[in-house]
Each structure stands twice: as structure tokens, then as C-alpha cells.
Amino acid sequence: MTDQAPAPYAGPQRVLSGVQPSGDLHLGNYLGALVKFARLQHEIPTFIFVADLHAITVWQDPKLLKTQVREIAAAYLATGLDPKVATIFPQSAVPEHAELAWVFNCVARLGWLDRMTQFKEKSGKHKERASVGLYTYPVLQAADILVYKATQVPVGEDQKQHLELTRDIAGKFNHDYEAPGFFPLPEPLTQGPGARIMSLRDGTAKMSKSDPSDNSRINLTDDADAIAQKIRKAKTDPEPLPETMEALSERPEARNLVGIYAALAGRTEAEVLAEFAGQGFGAFKPKLADLAVSVMGPIGGEMRRLLSDPAEIDRILADGAARAREVATPTMAEVRRLVGFWAG
Ligand code: AMP
Ligand code: TRP
């Protein structure tokens, strides 16, 4: 007897991703995630949410949370998401995320979650004081994705492990509940030079909102002067740029700036090196600063303009939530039936 591969998912393609409303967005978020959302919305039905359920895995001031959600929504709109094309919504407005997460908590194994490196990083030395939510965070992420049966998930490279867990949960659910092909095994979309943007002060550390140095990152809300100055101050080395990326393997800061240039210009790193090989950073940095200012400069202003009319953002989010529920509700009804719950 031969083992047959389970039936593959045969439903429609969907894109889904989200960002937490906890802190200012930066160039890494933009190039690793937001820029891809805007691109994909024209190719595949796209669902982009603000992850407020995930945000409260660490303390959030209830008086500020809604404002933080609007800020992320404004960032989505300012970077090119069109609410008439993509579905944009707050995670907490679609209760099916949390409901499916509970079922998945009973599908995922402790051993799978014990391997998650992000929990280890975020919980630090005192893991017994971390919330249980922080531990089971990736299970909720799997529910976010699979409640829409999403097939593609645009994220930065740091989320790959969570996507592997999502695939494991989907596969085990399909197997245990004898529903082959019910959930897709979603693919992370991490390709391209923007997948892992590093700090401008240390080419071996990820650009991150938790870095105490504001000069380590370019914020989406930085104005042209701040952007240009941060690039001028970025750490580099005295060597000229080489002809290949391999030659940059021991020069993390140089490698990072070439990657940023490529991602901002929508070109490959090889193309950037073909243009700049032989030139030093005295020549390269002003070009990079001009490019960064031209791409990033208008975003902050547009965010401020959008945030001056919160009622319009709320209207967009409410409309998105209604559309999201049209997809999430039938999935959850099927899950309830498969699991054997009362209401189906
Ligand atoms: P976070 O701000 O960590 O919630 O991340 C939101 C999105 O931005 C996720 O898709 C991350 O993978 C992505 N991201 C965060 N930091 C970086 C970075 N330094 N480079 C590339 N992508 C990133
Ligand atoms: N964990 C993601 C981050 O830290 C945010 C997130 C939550 C997400 N749910 C998701 C991303 C579902 C993609 C798909 O950035």
C-alpha cells in the first residue's frame, strides 16, 4: 500500500498580512511589508489588518490603542493601499480570529511553540512574567491567516518561522479533522532586497522600533531633513563598492545600504552595484539620501493629512471589517461543523 499525498487546497488565492499598532513604523516595515501590500492588491484579493489583538500581548494603554490603530491604517493608505481594492480592517473587529485561535491552540503542540525564537527574544530573561498571550501569539497569527484561507503572506524574513508554524497547524488540522485541502498551506512572500533591513548604526542588528537610538532607523513620519541626516550619519566603511554582493559578505553596513537602495529603487542589488562599483560612500550616500527622501518624504505628510480626519479612517476600517467578516464567518462555520461544536 502506498501513502497518498493529501489533496491540495483548491480554493481561491488570497493575500493576507498585518502589522501591530505598537510603536512607529520604519523603513524596515515599509520595505519588508507595506510596499508589497500595495503592489499585491492589484494582482490577488488582498486583506490587510491592524493587529490590535497581538498588540496587547504586551501592555497597551487602553486610552491610546484606537489612535495607534488609526496610525497604522493611515500608514497603509499613505503607502498606497486603496480601500476600494484591498480590504483594510482592525483585527479586533472580526471576532472569528480569536475564535479560530482557540481551536488552533488545541491543534498546535507545546513542542512547536517552544521552538519560536521571537518569543524567546521578546520574553527576555524573565519568561515566567511574560503573558500567556505572548507565548501563543503565533497561534493567533495562524488563525489570522487561515480564517481567510490566505495562500500568500507578505512579511519580512523575521516572520518565516511563524509561517512554518501556520503550515504545520493547517496540515495537522486538515489531517486530524479528515478535511484534506480544507486549509491551504500558505507561503511567506519574503523575496527581494527589503526582506531584512538592518540598523543604520549596526549592520548586524535588525532595524527595529525597539532600538533606543532613533538614528538607527528611518521612521515613516520622518521629514526630508531627518531622512537625509540619518543616511549621512549611517555607519559605513572606507572601501569603495565592489562589483558583486559576495564581496560585501564581511561588510554588513555597506551591504545593508546597497540593499536599501535596491529595495527603494525597485531594482536588484546586482544592478545597483553595476552602477556604483568603484565609488565610495562619499558618492553613494548622497544618491541614497535623495532616493530615500523622494520615496519616504511624502509618506509622513500624507499620514498627517489622513490622521486629521479620523472619522474617514474609521469609516474605511468599518467597511473593511464588514467585508472581512463575509469571508471569515463561513470559514468559522465550517470549522465549527468539522470540530463537532453545537452551533454550526
Ligand atoms: P513588526 O513591526 O515587527 O510588527 O513588523 C511588521 C512587519 O514588518 C512584518 O512583516 C515584519 O517582518 C516586517 N519587518 C519588521 N522589521 C523589519 C526589518 N528590519 N526588515 C524587513 N522587514 C521588517
Ligand atoms: N507577527 C507579525 C509581526 O510581528 C504581525 C502579524 C500578526 C501578522 N498576524 C499576522 C503578519 C498575520 C502576517 C500575517 O510583524
Side-chain angles (χ1 to χ4, degrees):
M1 216 176 82
T2 52
D3 264 349
Q4 290 201 332
Y9 173 75
Q13 304 265 305
R14 286 193 190 108
V15 165
L16 174 127
S17 194
V19 173
Q20 295 188 69
S22 49
D24 288 341
L25 294 184
H26 53 71
L27 182 67
N29 302 127
Y30 176 66
L31 294 175
L34 273 65
V35 85
K36 297 185 205 152
F37 304 168
R39 223 177 275 150
L40 285 159
Q41 66 181 334
H42 301 295
E43 296 165 21
I44 302 173
T46 294
F47 293 73
I48 304 292
F49 68 99
V50 186
D52 51 355
L53 299 183
H54 278 106
I56 65 158
T57 56
V58 296
W59 174 251
Q60 302 296 328
D61 185 339
K63 292 193 284 299
L64 303 181
L65 190 55
K66 276 205 188 93
T67 307
Q68 292 165 199
V69 169
R70 289 189 191 106
E71 279 170 10
I72 301 294
Y76 289 161
L77 298 167
T79 54
L81 269 187
D82 179 347
K84 290 198 234 21
V85 179
T87 303
I88 306 170
F89 60 100
Q91 187 183 25
S92 61
V94 185
E96 284 79 5
H97 290 237
E99 189 179 355
L100 184 58
W102 176 255
V103 175
F104 285 173
N105 270 327
C106 303
V107 173
R109 306 288 93 182
L110 274 179
W112 300 358
L113 284 180
D114 280 340
R115 286 196 288 273
M116 295 294 119
T117 53
Q118 191 170 304
F119 175 74
K120 290 178 199 159
E121 283 159 24
K122 287 197 179 174
S123 59
K125 283 198 198 91
H126 297 288
K127 97 171 164 40
E128 67 284 353
R129 286 191 216 154
S131 72
V132 176
L134 190 65
Y135 185 70
T136 168
Y137 175 118
V139 176
L140 176 59
Q141 183 162 348
D144 298 333
I145 297 167
L146 294 171
V147 83
Y148 302 98
K149 300 191 178 180
T151 49
Q152 279 111 306
V153 184
V155 279
E157 214 162 78
D158 58 359
Q159 295 300 311
K160 266 191 163 167
Q161 197 183 36
H162 291 167
L163 263 291
E164 275 159 32
L165 182 89
T166 302
R167 295 163 65 88
D168 288 344
I169 290 175
K172 184 161 163 60
F173 181 98
N174 291 351
H175 173 268
D176 291 359
Y177 291 102
E178 296 179 6
F182 178 73
F183 284 124
L185 306 188
E187 294 288 343
L189 299 180
T190 55
Q191 300 87 339
R196 191 168 167 81
I197 301 296
M198 310 309 279
S199 156
L200 298 178
R201 310 297 305 161
D202 173 0
T204 63
K206 201 176 65 166
M207 184 177 285
S208 150
K209 49 190 155 199
S210 54
D211 192 316
S213 163
D214 194 56
N215 280 330
S216 71
R217 62 183 162 261
I218 294 174
N219 300 306
L220 237 48
T221 47
D222 282 347
D223 62 18
D225 284 348
I227 297 171
Q229 204 187 40
K230 285 177 180 178
I231 289 183
R232 243 192 334 270
K233 284 194 182 157
K235 190 173 166 200
T236 45
D237 58 44
E239 305 295 317
L241 284 166
E243 282 173 13
T244 63
M245 280 309 274
E246 291 76 65
L248 283 178
S249 59
E250 305 292 314
R251 297 168 62 188
E253 284 83 16
R255 191 188 166 84
N256 187 39
L257 293 187
V258 171
I260 291 174
Y261 191 105
L264 283 171
R267 292 159 66 185
T268 65
E269 289 152 325
E271 284 167 347
V272 175
L273 286 178
E275 185 178 337
F276 290 101
Q279 301 188 34
F281 283 95
F284 182 72
K285 273 185 172 179
K287 295 268 170 51
L288 176 58
D290 286 349
L291 176 63
V293 166
S294 74
V295 177
M296 306 286 290
I299 295 174
E302 180 61 4
M303 280 178 68
R304 280 186 284 280
R305 192 189 66 76
L306 290 159
L307 287 166
S308 69
D309 187 0
E312 173 62 8
I313 295 185
D314 292 1
R315 200 195 52 70
I316 288 170
L317 290 174
D319 176 59
R323 279 153 57 197
R325 290 198 75 175
E326 282 172 24
V327 180
T329 309
T331 308
M332 201 54 225
E334 288 173 284
V335 168
R336 291 173 147 274
R337 186 182 57 76
L338 286 166
V339 173
F341 285 155
W342 283 101

